[in-house]
Amino acid sequence: MTSTRREDIIAFQFSSWYPIFSSLSIKSTILPLDNDFKLYLEADGVFVPTGSEDLPPNSTLSLEECDAHQDSDDEATSRYAFPQLDAQVRAVIREYHAVFPKLNFPHQRHDAAWLLPSTSPLKCTSPADVYLLLKSSDFITHDLSADLVFEGCVDNDDAPGTLEYRLELVLRKWFAIDRSREMRAFVRDGVLLGISQRDMNYYEFLNEPEMQKKIVSSFSAYWAAHIKSKWTGPASYTFDVLLTRDLTRFHIIDFNPYAPRTDALLFTYNELAAFPTATPPTLRVIDSHAHPAVTRNAPEHQHNMVPLEALALSQGRNVEEFAAAWADHVRRGTAESDDESEE
């Protein structure tokens, strides 16, 4: 793999490629973020800025607990308010009905998706939803620092003003994605080498020989016609797509570097390096429920998953105070459940 320059990295920034491929991608809006919002994302604690909530949160906390939580959060939230950004986000939500957010660069999966309803993960209908999802994610720290974004680049010692990096909020129109049709493609030196299933679960229809032949043929033709000549970044890259229902076309989700920082999924980069360049691309899918890559229903980022009420009760309390408050909360919930079952 060749050495990476900062301009190569910037090519994978959403605002770099989306204007070129917007007709093939999910409808999206890019909003610039100022340093105050960056400070909010970097601040300790999980809270939403003043004025960003459209409706009271759907919580099982009692009124007394909500009041106590609000008192402990007042000092933090009062320092952060983004009325202009709130208005912009609300305008986009009105247009798209719901959005899912990201910052400048792609992330493999959103580790904070569990904060929103499991029936519609990443579906945001208010600025508070957007901010909470970003604030609760560990992955976005990469995008907050230019040093991390350009880490390892061969031209990092050049004059810093030659390539300005600005934080951006990307709001993409939300819709329910059929994960069985998500694919990642690998291009080396302008040649499409491989296509991998992204969701690590077994799907029977993907293992039908005629279906696989159709995917490889249609995918290759569509890439050659609509991406190959228009891509302006490095000659080696990967890109994520959602196949259409008839599997003949695709919608672009993101572009990623052709490098170990991007998961090779069902391939390895050593395998890809050995692939011949004069044959059709190789399609890899999960071929059985026993495949070692199958997720076996284990939730992603489960180390981050705690109840929203626990996050609320933890604000402004030390470990002992939180333990007592949580035990009391559980007792109340159990008592209420018993009362309801007796009615």
Side-chain angles (χ1 to χ4, degrees):
M1 297 179 193
T2 58
S3 299
T4 304
R5 302 168 299 169
R6 286 182 292 176
E7 65 182 73
D8 295 333
I9 296 297
I10 286 297
F12 297 101
Q13 181 173 251
F14 188 85
S15 59
S16 297
W17 64 262
Y18 180 73
I20 302 171
F21 296 104
S22 60
S23 63
L24 304 180
S25 189
I26 302 166
K27 193 171 184 181
S28 306
T29 297
I30 305 166
L31 302 175
L33 296 174
D34 58 23
N35 192 59
D36 287 341
F37 194 82
K38 177 176 178 290
L39 293 176
Y40 158 70
L41 293 177
E42 294 175 330
D44 291 336
V46 179
F47 56 90
V48 295
T50 300
S52 63
E53 293 183 278
D54 292 340
L55 294 171
N58 183 16
S59 172
T60 59
L61 290 173
S62 68
L63 292 176
E64 293 80 4
E65 288 167 332
C66 286
D67 289 341
H69 168 52
Q70 184 62 48
D71 291 341
S72 68
D73 264 3
D74 278 347
E75 183 178 353
T77 58
S78 62
R79 290 184 295 149
Y80 299 100
F82 308 102
Q84 183 176 357
L85 182 61
D86 291 346
Q88 292 174 315
V89 172
R90 288 189 175 101
V92 175
I93 290 174
R94 282 196 298 272
E95 179 182 355
Y96 296 165
H97 303 294
V99 300
F100 63 97
K102 65 190 293 294
L103 296 183
N104 302 46
F105 291 96
H107 302 290
Q108 306 305 324
R109 293 289 180 194
H110 207 304
D111 57 332
W114 59 274
L115 283 169
L116 298 178
S118 59
T119 54
S120 52
L122 302 181
K123 182 179 182 179
C124 296
T125 57
S126 73
D129 287 347
V130 171
Y131 306 157
L132 182 62
L133 208 57
L134 296 174
K135 190 81 171 70
S136 304
S137 173
D138 292 335
F139 289 163
I140 67 164
T141 55
H142 167 272
D143 293 11
L144 300 182
S145 168
D147 291 338
L148 289 178
V149 169
F150 299 121
E151 184 177 15
C153 291
V154 295
D155 55 352
N156 266 353
D157 293 332
D158 291 356
T162 58
L163 189 63
E164 184 180 4
Y165 175 70
R166 294 191 60 187
L167 195 64
E168 300 169 344
L169 172 62
V170 178
L171 300 176
R172 314 198 72 179
K173 184 174 182 177
W174 185 91
F175 62 95
I177 289 179
D178 180 354
R179 296 183 65 183
S180 69
R181 292 188 277 115
E182 287 186 282
M183 298 285 167
R184 172 166 294 170
F186 298 83
V187 177
R188 189 184 74 235
D189 295 330
V191 177
L192 180 62
L193 297 177
I195 306 166
S196 173
Q197 176 181 336
R198 283 191 71 199
D199 181 44
M200 297 294 104
N201 281 294
Y202 172 72
Y203 296 101
E204 184 176 0
F205 81 95
L206 289 178
N207 286 271
E208 298 171 4
E210 287 302 314
M211 188 67 69
Q212 293 186 357
K213 183 178 179 180
K214 178 180 181 180
I215 290 174
V216 170
S217 175
S218 298
F219 196 111
S220 301
Y222 202 70
W223 168 77
H226 298 283
I227 294 183
K228 185 177 181 179
S229 63
K230 297 179 182 178
W231 172 248
T232 59
S236 298
Y237 57 95
T238 76
F239 61 100
D240 296 334
V241 305
L242 176 67
L243 297 174
T244 55
R245 288 185 176 87
D246 62 6
L247 306 181
T248 62
R249 297 170 292 113
F250 53 71
H251 304 289
I252 300 171
I253 297 175
D254 261 317
F255 284 91
N256 308 270
Y258 182 92
R261 64 189 288 180
T262 302
D263 193 342
L265 299 176
L266 296 176
F267 296 102
T268 69
Y269 282 100
N270 286 336
E271 284 181 307
L272 291 167
F275 281 176
T277 59
T279 58
T282 299
L283 174 65
R284 290 261 175 98
V285 299
I286 300 292
D287 57 11
S288 75
H289 291 292
H291 192 287
V294 172
T295 57
R296 302 184 191 279
N297 296 320
E300 292 183 291
H301 317 298
Q302 55 189 322
H303 63 285
N304 286 340
M305 296 185 181
V306 295
L308 186 58
E309 289 84 355
L311 288 176
L313 286 173
S314 68
Q315 301 296 318
R317 291 185 169 98
N318 60 32
V319 175
E320 291 78 11
E321 292 169 340
F322 167 71
W326 181 248
D328 182 59
H329 175 65
V330 172
R331 281 194 299 271
R332 291 192 198 185
T334 302
E336 290 173 1
S337 178
D338 291 343
D339 289 345
E340 290 174 358
S341 63
E342 292 173 1
E343 291 178 356

